[in-house]
Amino acid sequence: MEARVKFEDQRLDCCDCGKPFIFSAGERAFFWSKGLTQPRRCKECRERRRLTLVQARAGGEG
Ligand SMILES: [Zn+2]
């Protein structure tokens, strides 16, 4: 049995900043293997969002 899934770079538009970004073949393969859908945000916005979440958690009331 042979997995013959060919991934190519794909251009997507970020839903946050609206800029086009490349969803690379490697990332697609990773997302696909995890059963995830394609990202809606560019790397920058995802990173910013992640940092915001981390900061919110670190400084959160507890
Ligand atoms: Zn963005």
Side-chain angles (χ1 to χ4, degrees):
M1 162 161 102
E2 194 178 353
R4 272 195 173 228
V5 186
K6 173 114 165 64
F7 292 99
E8 287 171 5
D9 288 1
Q10 187 180 14
R11 215 198 70 158
L12 299 172
D13 290 322
C14 176
C15 75
D16 251 25
C17 66
K19 282 185 202 164
F21 65 99
I22 298 296
F23 185 29
S24 75
E27 286 173 317
R28 288 185 72 183
F30 176 78
F31 271 64
W32 183 83
S33 73
K34 298 277 180 190
L36 301 169
T37 54
Q38 64 188 31
R40 296 176 63 197
R41 291 177 181 82
C42 69
K43 212 169 176 179
E44 248 175 75
C45 289
R46 263 184 285 162
E47 189 69 10
R48 196 184 309 144
R49 206 174 136 81
R50 198 175 63 83
L51 287 174
T52 307
L53 286 174
V54 167
Q55 277 166 8
R57 202 171 293 168
E61 59 245 74

